């Protein structure tokens, strides 16, 4: 098989460069997956590299599955020995073999967000802190940030010395981690954190995997955080054959710890590396691609590249200015219906993208009212439904009796008369005697304070022990059915007789079907492996291209996907770019919003629609936003504006003055905007001399409405031009 056939010159160069580190800067739609898969096949077929010596990492199960299928077509059965997986799946695989060295059992369980919140709430309560002052969500965000930067509780504690509030959070982190270890459980961030610890602290483990993975390939490298960088650097320490593929212009996950510097500084960290740019786009029309290039070039923190394509010119981008969010949703729905009824397209060729999940409600209602089939991503995920989490908790307890969070969830589910007071006493006894809660349950008749509840508790442990005794050589689906039968879970729901109960029963049957599918497709699947797969599934992994329905999802969820027709809705200041980014002093916050816009634009293959509304309901009130700066950054030659003259919103609070001035946005393009308030007052005007406590003295060059506030463009004497939100800038007039 000619593995270079059909590749352009730059793609061939990337496939043929097999020795030493390699950075592939791959623009949107430039065929990076083909390059990666052909490179793997080339290593095996031409360079005679053993498949087991290759590690390929990507970010979603969907992407990993696609890569596996492509590689299998190229190299056949040898592909089974290649490690192709997500970061977290790879780490679980390593930890199942090695974590016992760090004092854990290999049968550890993985906590989801709900489990983590419950555990940290328990920690805050145990430490005697007020959760209003030290909220669980903030504590978890802090803990996640430390783990993403590979900072231990002890290191964080040292950093916070002398900081009263910081010390409290350090205590929360320390006790949270201690409880995780007692429960023989890991949270999502621990999967990478613990893998690095084992590799570094146990030299024989590190040396084994450094020798094993002679060639490492990492997709979507711009999305890696500091811990992931350390992990790759550690694994590639011996052979330095690290190939990373990514695009700084598509780095959109700073909020979950991604560090764009990992890709921007790759040549510094791997000094012997070579860089290859993939700039030919095979996805978009020329119009869509040129528009994307015009938008993203306004960012400073990037690697220079310009995508080009041999595709057709294509249709202009359709712009629609709606009266309000309902008008916007109806325009989108009617446009889709018109195309489908004309026989031009199927429903599955359309995607509606938006900045936040809250925007989906009105769009969903429009689809329902017009009988448009749709698939929503970002709602309540299947594995987060109560009944599914209950069954999963039973399964977790069966393999990991130390999992107190799982036990606490199901000890009284279905209801068996075990009250909160009894559970608190069990927990207290377990803590005092350094046992797990389940170990305490097994000696329940020895605990005087719990004699009245002992019979009910014993009935629960009898169920668990009975299932454990019967589990050997049983399939996963059989174990699930045993749980349902012995707990009478479905019978209890049937007795309720409500529509909600019937939906829950249907979900349980779907879960059994999932277990049956797992049994049929995994030759040596274990209960631990099944729970691992379920724990690591992402919402977008359920995306089905052949499902004839339109797709509704956030712009973040759409990354990695493409559609013939794309609607980007709510393209307004304060929504996209977000109000938080406009309020931040960090310019990269606004640059990331522009990268999100770039990602959204390049999801479209044939036709792109961009919509915005004069008014929309937000936070229980009507707000009046101005068109997003991103619209102005797309040259008119690429746009077809379908907007018509519309009535002013009736709820408008203040009629703007007619004075119009020029405003210069991030690019050199000038466009007209009103510099007077539309619905808020402002204390500053263009030309005012002001002082900022960090940036010093400056002059206001422009004032731009942004949601319920104003964005001020200020030229500072020492730091140059900054964009700040009026309400949060704390400016003083001079």
């Amino acid at each position: 098989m000619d593995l270079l056939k059909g590749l352009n010159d730059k793609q061939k160069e990337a496939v043929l460069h097999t020795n030493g580190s390699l950075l592939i800067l791959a623009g949107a739609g430039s065929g990076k997956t083909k390059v990666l898969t052909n490179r793997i096949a080339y290593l095996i077929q031409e360079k005679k590299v053993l498949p087991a010596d290759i590690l390929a990492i990507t970010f979603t199960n969907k992407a990993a599955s696609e890569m596996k299928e492509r590689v299998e077509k190229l190299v056949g059965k040898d592909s089974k020995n290649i490690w192709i997986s997500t970061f977290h799946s790879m780490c679980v695989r390593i930890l199942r073999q090695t974590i016992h060295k760090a004092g854990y059992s290999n049968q550890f369980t993985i906590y989801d967000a709900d489990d983590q919140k419950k555990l940290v709430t328990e920690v805050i309560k145990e430490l005697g802190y007020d959760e209003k002052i030290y909220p669980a969500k903030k504590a978890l965000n802090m803990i996640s940030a430390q783990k993403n930067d590979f900072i231990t509780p002890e290191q964080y504690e040292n950093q916070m010395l002398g900081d009263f509030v910081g010390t409290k959070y350090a205590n929360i982190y320390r006790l949270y981690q201690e409880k995780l270890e007692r429960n023989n459980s890991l949270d999502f961030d621990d999967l990478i954190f613990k893998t690095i610890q084992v590799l570094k602290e146990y030299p024989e483990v590190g040396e084994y995997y450094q020798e094993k993975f002679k060639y490492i390939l990492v997709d979507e490298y711009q999305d890696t955080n500091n811990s992931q960088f350390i992990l790759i650097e550690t694994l590639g320490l011996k052979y330095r054959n690290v190939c990373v593929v990514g695009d700084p212009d598509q780095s959109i996950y700073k909020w979950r710890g991604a560090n764009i510097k990992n890709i921007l500084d790759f040549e510094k960290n791997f000094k012997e590396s070579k860089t290859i740019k993939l700039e030919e786009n095979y996805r978009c029309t020329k119009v869509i691609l040129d528009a994307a290039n015009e938008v993203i070039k306004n960012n400073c923190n990037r690697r220079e590249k310009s995508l080009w394509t041999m595709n057709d010119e294509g249709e202009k981008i359709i712009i629609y200015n709606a009266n309000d969010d309902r008008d916007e949703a109806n325009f989108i729905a009617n446009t889709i219906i018109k195309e489908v009824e004309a026989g031009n397209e199927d429903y599955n060729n359309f995607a509606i993208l938006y900045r936040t999940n809250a925007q989906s409600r009105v769009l969903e209602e429009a689809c329902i009212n017009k009988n448009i089939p749709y698939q929503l991503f970002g709602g309540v995920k299947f594995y987060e439904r109560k009944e599914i989490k209950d069954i999963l908790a039973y399964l977790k307890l069966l393999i990991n009796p130390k999992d107190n969070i799982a036990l606490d969830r199901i000890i009284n589910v279905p209801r068996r008369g075990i009250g909160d007071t009894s559970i608190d006493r069990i927990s207290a006894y377990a803590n005092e005697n350094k046992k797990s809660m389940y170990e305490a349950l097994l000696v329940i008749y020895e605990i005087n304070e719990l004699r009245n509840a002992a019979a009910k508790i014993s009935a629960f442990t009898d169920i668990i022990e009975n299932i454990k005794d019967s589990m050997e050589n049983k399939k996963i689906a059989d174990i699930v059915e045993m749980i349902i039968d012995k707990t009478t879970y479905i019978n209890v729901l049937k007795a309720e007789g409500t529509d909600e109960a019937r939906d829950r029963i249907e979900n349980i049957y779907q879960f059994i079907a999932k277990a049956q599918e797992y049994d049929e497709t995994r030759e040596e699947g274990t209960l631990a492996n099944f729970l691992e797969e379920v724990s690591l599934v992402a919402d977008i992994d359920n995306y089905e291209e052949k499902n004839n329905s339109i797709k509704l999802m956030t712009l973040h969820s759409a990354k990695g996907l493409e559609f013939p027709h794309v609607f980007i809705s709510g393209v307004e200041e304060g929504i996209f770019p977000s109000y938080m980014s406009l309020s931040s002093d960090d310019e990269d916050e606004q640059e990331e919003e522009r990268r999100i816009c770039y990602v959204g634009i390049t999801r479209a293959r044939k036709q792109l629609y961009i919509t915005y509304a004069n008014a929309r309901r937000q936070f229980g009130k009507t707000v009046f936003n101005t068109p997003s700066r991103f619209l102005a950054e797309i040259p008119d030659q690429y746009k077809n504006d379908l907007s018509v003259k519309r009535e002013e919103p009736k709820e408008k609070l203040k009629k703007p003055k007619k004075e119009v001035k020029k405003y210069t946005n991030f690019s050199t393009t000038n466009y007209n905007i009103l510099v007077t308030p539309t619905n808020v007052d402002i204390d500053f005007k263009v030309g005012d001399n002001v002082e900022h406590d960090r940036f010093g003295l400056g002059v206001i060059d422009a004032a731009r409405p942004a949601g319920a506030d104003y964005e001020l463009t200020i030229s500072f004497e020492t730091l140059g031009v900054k964009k700040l939100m009026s309400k949060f800038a704390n400016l003083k007039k001079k």
Side-chain angles (χ1 to χ4, degrees):
M1 182 183 293
D2 185 359
L3 295 170
L4 302 180
K5 186 178 180 180
L7 299 180
N8 64 40
D9 290 343
K10 288 297 182 181
Q11 290 174 331
K12 288 177 185 176
E13 188 180 354
V15 170
L16 294 172
H17 185 277
T18 55
N19 290 321
S21 299
L22 175 65
L23 168 62
I24 303 175
L25 290 171
S30 61
K32 66 182 176 65
T33 304
K34 186 173 184 178
V35 170
L36 278 174
T37 53
N38 283 37
R39 192 172 189 274
I40 292 170
Y42 187 83
L43 287 169
I44 294 169
Q45 293 185 356
E46 302 298 329
K47 294 296 182 179
K48 307 306 177 186
V49 175
L50 293 175
D53 291 346
I54 299 172
L55 169 66
I57 305 173
T58 188
F59 268 80
T60 66
N61 295 317
K62 183 179 183 298
S65 296
E66 181 182 345
M67 192 180 293
K68 285 177 184 176
E69 289 172 10
R70 291 200 192 188
V71 172
E72 187 175 1
K73 288 178 182 178
L74 295 174
V75 301
K77 61 182 180 181
D78 283 344
S79 65
K80 291 184 179 179
N81 294 321
I82 307 169
W83 281 41
I84 302 177
S85 71
T86 63
F87 268 103
H88 294 93
S89 294
M90 174 200 70
C91 289
V92 171
R93 190 170 175 182
I94 291 174
L95 290 173
R96 291 285 182 212
Q97 301 300 318
T98 62
I99 201 170
H100 61 277
K101 291 179 177 293
Y104 279 76
S105 158
N106 291 350
Q107 297 296 308
F108 60 83
T109 47
I110 303 169
Y111 279 1
D112 63 15
D114 284 346
D115 297 332
Q116 289 176 250
K117 185 178 180 182
K118 187 164 187 177
L119 184 62
V120 83
T121 301
E122 181 182 304
V123 165
I124 292 166
K125 183 179 179 181
E126 191 170 318
L127 289 170
Y129 299 163
D130 186 342
E131 197 181 339
K132 291 180 181 177
I133 300 174
Y134 304 96
K137 185 175 181 180
K138 187 173 180 180
L140 286 173
N141 287 340
M142 175 276 298
I143 292 169
S144 180
Q146 304 317 309
K147 291 184 179 181
N148 285 338
D149 283 340
F150 195 60
I151 295 172
T152 65
E154 294 74 25
Q155 290 169 329
Y156 186 64
E157 202 164 19
N158 288 333
Q159 289 178 12
M160 293 298 107
L161 286 174
D163 183 329
F164 179 81
V165 174
T167 299
K168 299 284 189 182
Y169 279 109
N171 293 337
I172 293 171
Y173 183 16
R174 175 184 47 75
L175 185 55
Y176 171 84
Q177 204 59 31
E178 287 175 6
K179 282 182 172 285
L180 275 174
E181 292 179 17
R182 274 184 242 158
N183 291 359
N184 193 41
S185 299
L186 304 177
D187 64 19
F188 204 58
D189 296 314
D190 269 333
L191 298 178
I192 293 172
F193 191 93
K194 288 293 180 185
T195 301
I196 297 171
Q197 279 191 324
V198 171
L199 292 172
K200 286 181 172 292
E201 293 177 13
Y202 302 92
E204 70 279 11
V205 177
E207 289 168 8
Y208 171 82
Y209 284 102
Q210 287 162 5
E211 174 63 32
K212 174 175 176 54
F213 297 131
K214 295 179 176 65
Y215 291 88
I216 299 172
L217 301 91
V218 186
D219 194 10
E220 305 287 6
Y221 192 66
Q222 75 280 347
D223 294 333
T224 54
N225 60 35
N226 292 343
S227 284
Q228 288 162 336
F229 163 74
I230 295 170
L231 177 61
I232 294 302
E233 186 182 47
T234 303
L235 289 172
L237 195 61
K238 183 171 184 178
Y239 289 98
R240 306 291 285 179
N241 290 322
V242 176
C243 168
V244 303
V245 185
D247 180 6
D249 290 338
Q250 297 186 72
S251 178
I252 61 173
Y253 292 110
K254 183 179 179 182
W255 54 275
R256 70 180 188 194
N259 186 352
I260 194 173
K261 289 185 178 179
N262 288 348
I263 191 166
L264 293 176
D265 294 344
F266 184 81
E267 292 102 329
K268 295 179 183 177
N269 298 318
F270 294 84
K271 292 183 170 55
E272 74 285 2
S273 66
K274 179 176 182 176
T275 299
I276 297 172
K277 294 182 182 180
L278 304 183
E279 296 177 298
E280 182 176 0
N281 175 282
Y282 295 92
R283 176 191 301 160
C284 308
T285 64
K286 288 180 180 177
V287 164
I288 292 171
L289 201 60
D290 288 346
N293 284 333
E294 289 293 326
V295 170
I296 199 62
K297 76 179 185 182
N298 292 287
N299 273 4
C300 299
N301 198 21
R302 62 187 294 259
R303 291 290 296 268
E304 185 59 41
K305 70 179 188 310
S306 184
L307 298 187
W308 59 276
T309 184
M310 296 292 289
N311 292 342
D312 294 337
E313 188 76 15
E315 299 292 329
K316 289 186 177 183
I317 298 167
I318 292 175
I319 310 297
Y320 183 75
N321 174 205
N323 276 329
D324 54 29
D325 47 355
R326 294 193 177 279
D327 179 26
E328 178 185 49
N330 286 330
F331 166 77
I332 294 171
N334 290 334
T335 302
I336 293 171
I337 290 171
K338 183 179 177 182
E339 290 292 328
V340 172
E341 289 182 346
N344 298 329
E345 301 288 350
D346 292 326
Y347 285 117
N348 65 335
N349 288 335
F350 294 88
I352 307 174
L353 311 181
Y354 35 81
R355 182 63 182 82
T356 65
N357 280 312
Q359 292 169 250
S360 70
R361 181 184 61 81
V362 176
L363 295 164
E364 276 192 88
E365 288 175 1
C367 291
I368 293 168
N369 292 337
K370 297 180 184 295
N371 296 314
I372 297 174
Y374 69 93
Q375 189 176 5
L376 175 70
F377 296 87
V380 178
K381 300 177 182 68
F382 179 74
Y383 294 110
E384 291 180 1
R385 299 179 190 278
K386 179 188 181 303
E387 58 279 6
I388 304 304
K389 287 180 70 68
D390 289 344
I391 304 300
L392 286 171
Y394 274 101
L395 293 171
K396 287 178 180 180
L397 193 64
L398 289 171
I399 65 165
N400 180 18
K402 290 185 177 181
D403 190 341
N404 289 345
I405 297 295
L407 185 144
D408 187 63
R409 180 180 184 91
I410 56 172
I411 190 171
N412 199 37
V413 175
R415 292 189 180 279
R416 46 179 66 93
I418 302 172
D420 291 343
T421 302
S422 296
I423 295 170
D424 289 342
R425 287 173 178 169
I426 295 166
S427 179
Y429 176 87
N431 287 334
E432 288 169 12
N433 292 273
K434 296 184 179 179
K435 297 177 180 287
S436 70
M437 288 178 68
Y438 191 75
E439 288 174 318
L441 297 187
L442 294 176
V443 293
I444 196 67
Y445 285 103
E446 298 175 16
I447 306 173
N448 291 329
E449 303 94 320
L450 289 164
R451 286 188 180 275
N452 292 337
K456 296 170 184 176
I457 292 169
S458 182
F460 169 72
T461 54
D462 285 348
I463 291 172
I464 301 299
E465 293 299 308
N466 189 279
I467 296 173
K468 284 169 70 174
D469 291 342
S470 308
M471 276 174 54
E472 192 172 354
N473 299 323
K474 285 282 196 305
K475 293 183 178 295
I476 310 300
D478 295 335
I479 298 172
V480 173
E481 288 179 342
M482 274 197 291
I483 291 169
I484 293 166
D485 177 53
K486 293 186 180 299
T487 62
T488 69
Y489 199 106
I490 283 182
N491 290 340
V492 172
L493 289 174
K494 284 180 179 178
E496 287 183 23
T498 63
D499 288 341
E500 181 183 356
R502 282 187 282 271
D503 287 344
R504 288 183 172 180
I505 292 170
E506 181 58 34
N507 288 336
I508 292 171
Y509 285 134
Q510 283 188 41
F511 184 71
I512 295 172
K514 162 66 181 176
Q516 290 170 338
E517 179 187 331
Y518 182 87
D519 291 331
E520 291 166 4
T521 56
R522 306 296 192 281
E523 293 178 7
E524 299 179 359
T526 65
L527 179 53
N529 296 144
F530 173 73
L531 288 171
E532 167 197 324
E533 183 172 304
V534 169
S535 297
L536 301 181
V537 72
D539 190 30
I540 203 65
D541 292 330
N542 297 318
Y543 171 74
E544 296 179 17
E545 191 171 346
K546 295 179 181 178
N547 185 330
N548 193 22
S549 60
I550 68 170
K551 316 303 179 194
L552 276 69
M553 64 183 75
T554 64
L555 287 144
H556 282 95
S557 295
K559 187 168 176 292
L561 302 176
E562 58 184 72
F563 311 89
H565 297 259
V566 169
F567 295 84
I568 305 179
S569 63
V571 185
E572 303 150 25
E573 293 287 293
I575 294 180
F576 191 30
S578 71
Y579 186 74
M580 290 297 292
S581 70
L582 296 175
S583 305
S584 173
D585 289 343
D586 184 354
E587 289 185 11
D588 192 54
E589 294 283 346
Q590 294 177 26
E591 291 212 349
E592 177 146 327
E593 291 290 307
R594 187 172 283 103
R595 293 195 291 268
I596 297 169
C597 184
Y598 175 78
V599 166
I601 292 172
T602 54
R603 297 312 94 195
R605 294 204 299 262
K606 289 170 55 178
Q607 182 68 71
L608 175 65
Y609 302 80
I610 298 178
T611 63
Y612 63 99
N614 295 333
R616 70 174 63 241
R617 296 290 295 178
Q618 273 185 289
F619 314 116
K621 61 182 180 180
T622 301
V623 297
F624 307 99
N625 299 318
T626 57
S628 170
R629 67 196 62 196
F630 303 144
L631 272 173
E633 292 171 357
I634 300 174
D636 289 342
Q637 69 196 73
Y638 303 129
K639 296 186 288 194
N640 177 16
D641 196 336
L642 298 187
S643 308
V644 295
K645 181 71 175 175
R646 304 184 182 282
E647 295 179 5
E648 287 293 317
K650 292 179 180 178
E651 297 180 58
K652 202 150 190 173
L653 302 180
K654 190 172 183 180
K655 187 175 180 180
K657 297 177 183 178
K658 293 183 180 180
E659 181 189 4
V660 175
K661 293 190 178 182
K662 289 285 187 179
Y663 167 79
T664 304
N665 74 335
F666 292 111
S667 71
T668 57
T669 305
N670 288 332
Y671 61 99
N672 292 336
I673 66 155
L674 292 169
V675 298
T676 51
T678 56
N679 62 332
V680 291
D681 292 323
I682 182 171
D683 295 328
F684 304 98
K685 64 181 184 296
V686 173
D688 279 351
N689 293 307
V690 293
E691 183 178 14
H692 187 274
D693 57 1
R694 284 175 54 200
F695 303 142
L697 297 174
V699 178
I700 297 177
D701 293 333
R704 174 186 173 83
D709 199 0
Y710 266 78
E711 179 194 77
L712 305 177
T713 302
I714 306 172
S715 294
F716 288 99
E717 290 180 357
T718 56
L719 295 175
V721 177
K722 298 284 184 183
K723 298 184 187 302
L724 306 174
M725 300 304 290
S726 173
K727 284 185 180 178
F728 299 95
N730 293 323
L731 294 171
K732 297 176 183 176
K733 285 186 181 181
K734 298 301 290 183

